[in-house]
Amino acid sequence: MTEAIQTDAAGAAPDPSARFSQARAAQSMAVLEDYAEMIDDLTAEMGEARITDIAARMGVTHPTATKAVARLKREGLANSRPYRGVFLTAAGTALAARVRARHRVVVDLLVAVGVPNETAELDAEGLEHHVSEVTLRAFEAFLDAARGGGAA
């Protein structure tokens, strides 16, 4: 989800505010991604994701979870039914799958460079949302090469 910032020949962003703008956008998207992933998990486990369960698993208040779900709905990533839970749309399910795949790549890279698995899982939870597609592809190429599947 994170887009690469255009840089000059020295590798610096031409507008310093672009870095901060990108970080804020990534953080905002990270929240949506976490909620989409949680809703997908709860749906797989319980058949639906109720706001109460979402709030409990995310460690937030009911109003906070409600606000996040409303945003998912506005973005076309989820819908809800009266007296039922929240369900991801096809786009929301695809988002959750992409987040899981990114998480796995980041964990695998961290473990490959010597980070203990439990720490890698925790650290990946934040890193996964801020890794650009370019960086993620480089991670995948590195891992593939390390596994003997090709050149990095």
Side-chain angles (χ1 to χ4, degrees), residues 44-131:
E45 183 182 324
M46 304 168 114
E48 68 180 6
R50 297 177 312 131
I51 294 286
T52 301
D53 297 326
I54 296 167
R57 294 266 180 106
M58 296 295 290
V60 299
T61 64
H62 193 280
T64 298
T66 299
K67 183 178 174 183
V69 167
R71 184 164 168 228
L72 284 169
K73 290 178 182 181
R74 281 193 310 274
E75 298 285 335
L77 299 169
N79 54 52
S80 60
R81 300 179 192 144
Y83 308 106
R84 294 284 315 272
V86 177
F87 299 89
L88 294 176
T89 63
T93 301
L95 174 64
R98 282 192 309 273
V99 171
R100 267 194 200 89
R102 274 199 331 252
H103 180 87
R104 193 77 266 135
V105 169
V106 173
V107 168
D108 289 350
L109 177 77
L110 293 173
V111 169
V113 298
V115 177
N117 195 54
E118 186 176 314
T119 303
E121 286 288 344
L122 291 171
D123 289 349
E125 200 53 51
L127 294 171
E128 71 193 21
H129 301 293
H130 301 282
V131 173

